[in-house]
C-alpha cells in the first residue's frame, strides 16, 4: 500500500460525508417541521465533523503543505471521489429520506468494520462516528416507515424516490485499485463483503414500510472514478465560491 | 341570579388581587394560574412574534451555509442556525401554554397578521454579513432580551435564560468573523466595512420607535416585559458597540456620532424612520421572499406531516388490536 493509495481511499470515504453534508446544508430553514429541520441540520453537522477528522488526517499524509480547507474547497470536480447517490438533489422530502437511508445503512456497516482497521487514525474516526451514524440510520429508517405506511400520497412519493435512487446503490460496493491495496494492507474495509447484508437489510425495511423493492438490474456508477452527475458542478460552484473568488485569504 | 353575579364578581376580584400581588412580589405567573385576558393576549403576541423572528431569522444566515469559506465556519454557521431553530421551538412551546397552537401561530405569520423582527427583511450579500449579523443583530437582540430573563411569565422567562446564553456565544462568534476580516487583506476589510454600513442603521431600528412614538410601554413595564425604554436600550447598544467598531478599525456610518462628555454617552444622527415603517409595513427588500420561503416550507411539508399522523394512528390502532386480542 502506497501513501497515494491511502489518500485516494480516504477521499472515497470522506467525500461522501462532505457532499451529503453540503446537500443537507441547503435545507436548513426549509424543512416540513421545525423538528425535522433541526434533525437534518444535526446530521449535516455530524457529517461535516467527520469530514474534518478525515481531512485533517489527509492533510498530514499529503506531501504538500495542505490544509483541510484546501482539500474541501480547492480540488477539481474529477478529484472528488464521492458516490453518485450522495450528490442527488433534494427533490422533495421523500428523496431526502431515501437518499439518507440508502447511505446511512451502508455508512453504518462500513464504520462497524473500519473500527477494526489496522490504521489507528481510521479506527479512532470510525469509533467516534459510528455513534452518530447509528442515530442517522434510526432517523431515516423511521421516516421511511412513516412515509411508506402513511398516506396514499406519501407512499406514492416515497416509492418514486426508492425507484429513482435504487440505481445508485450498487456503486456503494465498488472497489477501486487504490481501495484494493488499502484493503489488502488491512487498513480498509472490503465493501464487497457487505453487499448481501446491506440488500437484506434495506429490503426488509422497504417491505416493512409496505413498499415495493425495485427489480431493475441496471445500475449507475462513476462517482468513485470522479465521473459525476451534472449536479456536481453546481454543488462545487456553491461550495467553492468564496475560496475561488477570494483566493489565499484567511477566514 | 343577582347573588350568583355578585359572587362571580367577587371571585374575579380576588383572583385579580392574587395576580397583582404575584406581579408585585416578583413571583412568576405560570400557565395554569389565572391571568387577565389582556395579559394572555399581550404575551401570545410578544412570544409568538419572538418565535417567528427566530424562524425567519434562520433564512438570511441559511443563505450562506452552502458558501461558507471554510469547514470551521460552515460548521459554526450550521450550528448557529440550528440554535435559532431550537430557540423557535422552545418559544413556540412557551406560547402554546397560553392556549394557542403552533399551527395557528404559523397561520398568523403566513397571513401577515403576526409580525417578526424587521431586521431579517434585509438581504445577506457577502460573507461579512454573517459577521455583522452576529456582532450587531445578535448584540442588539441580547440587549433587548436579557431583561426578559426576569419577566413575569414563567415559561417565557425560563426560555429566555437559555436563549440569552446562546445568543451571547453567537455574538462573540460574529465579532470574531469581523476581526478575522479586519486583520485580513484590503478586500476583506472593505467587505467588513460594507457590511457595517448596511447593518448599522437597521440594527438601531431593532429597538423600535422612539419613546414618544411607542405604545404599550407602561403596561409592559408593569408586567416586566420591559425594564427600560426603547431609547434607553438603543443608547446602551450604541455606547457598547462604537468602541468595538474602533477596535476593528471600522467606521460607523454616522457623521453625527460623537462622544458627549457631559452625558457620558454617544450622540448620534437621525434614524430614517420612513425606512423603518416601510419595512415594518411589508415593503422591505426581502419581506416577500422571507414569508414565501416560510410558507413554501410549510405548504410543501403538509404531505409529510399528514403521513406522520396517519402512520402514528395506524400504529396506535395496531396497539389497540393487540390489547383486545
Amino acid at each position: 500500500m502506497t501513501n497515494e493509495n491511502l489518500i485516494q481511499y480516504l477521499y472515497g470515504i470522506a467525500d461522501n460525508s462532505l457532499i451529503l453534508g453540503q446537500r443537507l446544508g441547503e435545507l436548513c430553514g426549509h424543512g416540513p417541521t421545525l423538528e425535522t429541520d433541526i434533525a437534518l441540520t444535526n446530521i449535516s453537522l455530524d457529517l461535516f465533523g467527520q469530514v474534518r477528522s478525515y481531512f485533517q488526517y489527509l492533510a498530514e499524509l499529503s506531501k504538500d503543505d495542505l490544509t483541510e480547507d484546501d482539500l474541501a474547497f480547492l480540488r477539481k470536480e474529477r478529484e472528488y471521489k464521492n458516490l453518485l447517490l450522495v450528490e442527488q438533489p433534494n427533490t422533495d422530502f421523500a428523496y431526502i429520506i431515501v437518499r439518507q437511508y440508502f447511505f446511512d445503512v451502508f455508512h453504518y456497516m462500513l464504520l462497524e468494520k473500519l473500527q477494526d482497521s489496522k490504521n489507528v487514525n481510521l479506527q479512532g474516526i470510525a469509533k467516534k462516528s459510528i455513534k452518530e451514524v447509528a442515530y442517522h440510520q434510526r432517523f431515516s429508517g423511521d421516516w421511511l416507515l412513516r412515509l411508506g405506511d402513511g398516506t396514499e400520497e406519501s407512499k406514492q412519493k416515497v416509492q418514486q424516490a426508492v425507484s429513482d435512487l435504487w440505481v445508485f446503490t450498487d456503486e456503494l460496493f465498488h472497489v477501486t485499485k487504490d481501495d484494493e491495496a488499502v484493503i489488502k494492507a488491512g487498513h480498509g474495509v472490503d465493501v464487497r463483503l457487505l453487499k448481501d447484508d446491506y440488500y437484506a437489510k434495506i429490503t426488509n425495511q422497504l417491505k416493512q414500510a409496505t413498499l415495493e423493492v425495485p427489480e431493475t438490474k441496471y445500475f449507475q456508477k462513476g462517482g468513485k472514478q470522479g465521473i459525476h452527475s451534472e449536479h456536481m458542478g453546481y454543488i462545487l460552484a456553491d461550495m467553492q465560491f468564496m475560496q475561488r473568488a477570494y483566493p489565499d485569504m484567511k477566514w | 341570579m343577582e347573588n350568583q353575579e355578585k359572587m362571580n364578581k367577587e371571585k374575579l376580584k380576588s383572583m385579580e388581587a392574587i395576580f397583582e400581588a404575584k406581579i408585585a412580589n416578583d413571583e412568576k405567573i405560570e400557565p395554569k394560574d389565572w391571568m387577565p385576558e389582556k395579559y394572555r393576549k399581550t404575551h401570545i403576541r410578544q412570544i409568538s412574534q419572538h418565535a417567528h423572528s427566530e424562524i425567519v431569522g434562520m433564512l438570511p444566515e441559511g443563505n450562506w451555509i452552502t458558501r461558507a469559506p471554510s469547514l470551521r465556519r460552515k460548521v459554526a454557521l450550521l450550528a448557529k442556525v440550528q440554535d435559532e431553530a431550537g430557540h423557535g421551538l422552545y418559544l413556540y412551546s412557551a406560547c402554546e401554554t397560553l392556549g394557542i397552537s403552533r399551527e395557528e401561530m404559523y397561520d398568523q405569520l403566513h397571513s401577515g397578521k403576526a409580525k417578526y423582527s424587521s431586521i431579517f427583511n434585509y438581504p445577506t450579500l457577502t460573507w461579512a454579513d454573517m459577521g455583522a449579523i452576529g456582532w450587531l443583530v445578535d448584540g442588539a437582540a441580547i440587549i433587548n432580551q436579557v431583561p426578559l430573563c426576569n419577566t413575569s411569565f414563567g415559561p417565557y422567562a425560563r426560555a429566555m435564560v437559555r436563549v440569552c446564553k446562546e445568543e451571547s456565544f453567537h455574538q462573540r462568534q460574529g465579532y470574531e468573523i469581523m476581526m478575522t476580516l479586519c486583520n485580513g487583506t484590503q478586500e476583506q476589510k472593505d467587505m467588513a466595512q460594507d457590511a457595517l454600513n448596511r447593518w448599522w442603521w437597521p440594527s438601531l431600528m431593532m429597538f423600535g420607535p422612539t419613546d414618544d412614538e411607542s405604545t404599550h410601554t407602561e403596561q409592559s413595564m408593569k408586567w416586566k416585559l420591559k425594564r427600560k425604554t426603547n431609547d434607553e436600550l438603543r443608547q446602551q447598544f450604541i455606547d457598547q458597540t462604537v468602541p468595538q467598531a474602533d477596535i476593528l478599525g471600522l467606521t460607523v456610518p454616522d457623521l453625527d456620532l460623537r462622544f458627549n462628555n457631559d452625558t457620558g454617552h454617544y450622540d448620534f444622527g437621525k434614524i430614517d424612520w420612513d425606512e423603518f415603517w416601510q419595512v415594518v409595513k411589508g415593503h422591505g427588500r426581502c419581506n416577500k421572499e422571507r414569508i414565501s420561503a416560510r410558507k413554501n416550507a410549510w405548504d410543501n411539508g403538509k404531505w409529510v406531516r399528514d403521513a406522520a399522523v396517519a402512520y402514528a394512528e395506524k400504529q396506535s390502532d395496531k396497539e389497540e388490536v393487540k390489547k383486545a386480542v
Side-chain angles (χ1 to χ4, degrees), chain B residues 296-312:
Chain B
N296 284 344
W298 188 245
D299 294 346
N300 295 338
K302 184 176 185 303
W303 70 270
V304 178
R305 297 189 302 276
D306 289 347
V309 170
Y311 179 77

Side-chain angles (χ1 to χ4, degrees), chain B residues 121-137:
Chain B
N121 292 315
Y122 288 84
T124 51
L125 304 178
T126 70
W127 171 252
D129 289 11
M130 297 304 99
I133 288 181
W135 172 38
L136 302 173
V137 175

Side-chain angles (χ1 to χ4, degrees), chain B residues 95-111:
Chain B
C95 205
E96 280 173 319
T97 67
L98 290 165
I100 183 169
S101 69
R102 217 199 288 181
E103 285 71 19
E104 285 173 87
M105 289 187 262
Y106 280 154
D107 281 346
Q108 292 177 353
L109 172 67
H110 298 158
S111 71

Side-chain angles (χ1 to χ4, degrees), chain A residues 71-137:
Chain A
L71 305 181
F73 299 106
L74 291 175
R75 279 179 291 152
K76 299 277 192 287
E77 180 173 330
R78 286 294 289 269
E79 294 167 329
Y80 288 83
K81 297 295 160 62
N82 58 281
L83 300 157
L84 294 177
L85 174 67
V86 296
E87 67 197 51
Q88 297 310 305
N90 299 321
T91 309
D92 64 20
F93 192 72
Y95 281 79
I96 293 161
I97 289 301
V98 174
R99 180 185 64 200
Q100 194 65 41
Y101 182 69
F102 284 173
F103 179 70
D104 290 342
V105 173
F106 165 77
H107 197 190
Y108 188 87
M109 290 176 164
L110 172 74
L111 291 174
E112 215 173 17
K113 297 285 179 219
L114 202 60
Q115 294 181 108
D116 303 327
S117 165
K118 278 186 188 165
N119 181 312
V120 285
N121 287 291
L122 285 180
Q123 233 183 59
I125 298 173
K127 279 185 178 150
K128 184 174 167 285
S129 309
I130 196 163
K131 292 177 203 145
E132 298 165 347
V133 176
Y135 162 75
H136 304 172
Q137 185 177 241

Side-chain angles (χ1 to χ4, degrees), chain B residues 64-103:
Chain B
W64 278 88
I65 289 172
T66 59
R67 291 178 291 172
S70 71
L71 288 173
R72 183 171 82 93
R73 294 294 185 199
K74 194 190 283 286
V75 168
L77 185 60
L78 264 167
K80 185 189 173 194
V81 181
Q82 192 192 28
D83 281 348
E84 283 154 9
H87 297 171
L89 200 57
Y90 31 89
L91 287 165
Y92 282 126
S93 304
C95 205
E96 280 173 319
T97 67
L98 290 165
I100 183 169
S101 69
R102 217 199 288 181
E103 285 71 19

Side-chain angles (χ1 to χ4, degrees), chain B residues 235-251:
Chain B
Q235 186 68 56
Q236 187 185 334
F237 174 76
I238 293 169
D239 290 346
Q240 166 188 309
T241 310
V242 172
Q244 293 171 351
D246 291 342
I247 293 170
L248 293 171
L250 297 177
T251 309

